[in-house]
Amino acid sequence: MKENVASATVFTLLLFLNTCLLNGQLPPGKPEIFKCRSPNKETFTCWWKPGTDGGLPTNYSLTYHREGETLMHECPDYITGGPNSCHFGKQYTSMWRTYIMMVNATNQMGSSFSDELYVDVTYIVQPDPPLELAVEVKQPEDRKPYLWIKWSPPTLIDLKTGWFTLLYEIRLKPEKAAEWEIHFAGQQTEFKILSLHPGQKYLVQVRCKPDHGYWSAWSPATFIQIPSDFTMNDTTVWISVAVLSAVICLIIVWAVALKGYSMVTCIFPPVPGPKIKGFDAHLLEKGKSEELLSALGCQDFPPTSDYEDLLVEYLEVDDSEDQHLMSVHSKEHPSQGMKPTYLDPDTDSGRGSCDSPSLLSEKCEEPQTNPSTFYDPEVIEKPENPETTHTWDPQCISMEGKIPYFHAGGSKCSTWPLPQPSQHNPRSSYHNITDVCELAVGPAGAPATLLDEAGKDALKSSQTIKSGEEGKATQQREVESFHSETDQDTPWLLPQEKTPFGSAKPLDYVEIHKVNKDGALSLLPKQRENSGQPKKPGTPENNKEYAKVSGVMDNNILVLVSDPHAKNMACFEESAKEGPPSLEQNQAEKALANFPATPSKCRLQLGGLDYLDPACFTHSFH
Amino acid sequence: MNIKGSPWKGSLLLLLVSNLLLCQSVAPLPICPGGAARCQVTLRDLFDRAVVLSHYIHNLSSEMFSEFDKRYTHGRGFITKAINSCHTSSLATPEDKEQAQQINQKDFLSLIVSILRSWNEPLYHLVTEVRGMQEAPEAILSKAVEIEEQTKRLLEGMELIVSQVHPETKENEIYPVWSGLSSLQMADEESRLSAYYNLLHCLRRDSHKIDNYLKLLKCRIIHNNNC
């Protein structure tokens, strides 16, 4: 029984379905509103997509209600927008208000409703494309030719009252090109195109968009033929200008590269090296130095070719009397002789502090601790020693005048140690000079203090800078090294003449002009002028004389005598140890007295540095 | 000359110093440096500036809404709950061109100022609440901050315009009050999200309204309906 009922039910249903299917009638499928647009914010249209119609004529109706209202309305216009559309006219359109709408599809078999769509006209604005696109080639006579594009806004859009704001965009391309050239035109309705390929056919299009909304479709393309004589004068000119300037730049770069160094030296002249007047490099080169050194107890005096070492070694910051000139004996390298205990590493040229007169003046006048760092400890411990006369200032010759302390008589920068004014302060400056101008003369026995590398390098580099003075410097160094290696009690004997120590020759200051082959020093006598008239450094030729060390006094004073043919004699006093301070003080005073008169006259302006030619000074210790 | 020079110098110096001091307190890109009541800036400049600001504010609001919707509420039907949720709906604002052209200039300006004033507080709370969120969305927060700032500038500009166009207008401080703060702080996530959605939805709409109104007024006042 039950089975019969069930099967009967199924049979009936199937029959019904069969009938329906045979008829092809079904209720309509669910429609869908897929798009709503407003072209001008005053009207809008919605379109729907019908579902299956079920084989029967189907009616569609759109119903809506608005935000804040409860009343349902039906679409006022099904026609204007085309099939399956609903158009809302001005009186039905409200901005800033949500529309809730729905489409109802009905046929004989039934009906179906679409989903509700929430629409705000504010956000569905999309205008029509602009109209009347006009393109023209304009070639004014005295200006560049250009493409003139003009259009008008779409109809039904109210721009005048400001209700609607339109922004435009154009695009163009040569007919065969693949990429469009797009230009944004803002709110203007015309545009100029300046860069075009002559002889080509161009396509131009324009579109627009509201201030807040969607872009319109592109307008239909307008074609324009660019004439072949559409010249680009500007470009050619600029290209040639660019090429020319590039060529010029290359030439300049090449010239600079070739002569870079000389130009650089022209712009930045090298700092002149110290001049050592009277220093005859040739003298040092020859064998005399060896003899002298052996006499001093040094062995393997630095080979004549190794002047750099000599100079480096020779410069020694030595304050103590015992060690002045020290550094002479470096255990390892007698040849190295004395290494200057101190060299001012700061000088640009790497020379000793005396190398650059300005530096010297600064350092020599101030109590400095820097030099002391280079000091041999022993030396430092004896800062009080004014007698450290081994301040042999190789640069002295070209020293500037600001070295009152420096020369009691130090006007003549000679390679010979000079008595240092004891009361000169600061001591350290004194030391500086000693450092830089380390004299080998005098008390040997003080352990040689080796120059540190910096000093050495500085010295060496200073050498290179002193292009013109190398000869002299070398000689000077040799001489210095001579002195540095001198034992305390070893009389310094020149290979030639000896002058008995204690000869009552007036002590005079000379400046070493050069050292000749035999190791004799060529000295320039100081002009004995109380007024301290400057002596021109440039006149050494007139006063070439040879001087020799006649001996070393007890106090490590070198006594120099001039050559027989030389008339002048110079006698240098050098006291490595504490000599009679009083004497030196007196001398210092004298020197000081003389000094002030000379500096201004003695200045040599060399590259901005003040060089004072010690020759200018007349310091008389008499 | 000295006798005459010193008072001139003194007054010049005083003027210079006062100008510098005043300039310190002015917001960047001020229309009226020094904040003088009688501004020498033209009305045209004021309107150009106001339009630029309103355009910018709406762009920001639109972006902020899109980002929020995409991230939190898309496809979840929050729009249905946003109907009639704006606190400014009580204001009788024109809804089409004809209505806008019928409203008179003075009322129109007052209306705009009211809308702007009514948004001060919601924007402030929006910024505070978004900032206090865990994992505060940086994009949304930054836009909210910027909108709050620019709305204040726009309000100042509008008040200047009103003082120039209708100087006799007495200050009407009436504006719709927003009371959605409690909704923003609700514990239920759905409700809270709905509150934010409504707020951002209303902000987007009102900012568009203000922008459109100002463009209308600009063409009406400055260009005499001949933009």
Side-chain angles (χ1 to χ4, degrees), chain A residues 414-430:
Chain A
S414 60
T415 52
W416 300 99
L418 300 167
Q420 300 301 326
S422 57
Q423 78 272 22
H424 276 288
N425 287 321
R427 284 288 171 235
S428 56
S429 60
Y430 187 85

Side-chain angles (χ1 to χ4, degrees), chain B residues 28-44:
Chain B
L29 297 181
I31 296 177
C32 279
R38 285 275 168 200
C39 194
Q40 296 304 314
V41 178
T42 63
L43 196 60
R44 174 191 285 254

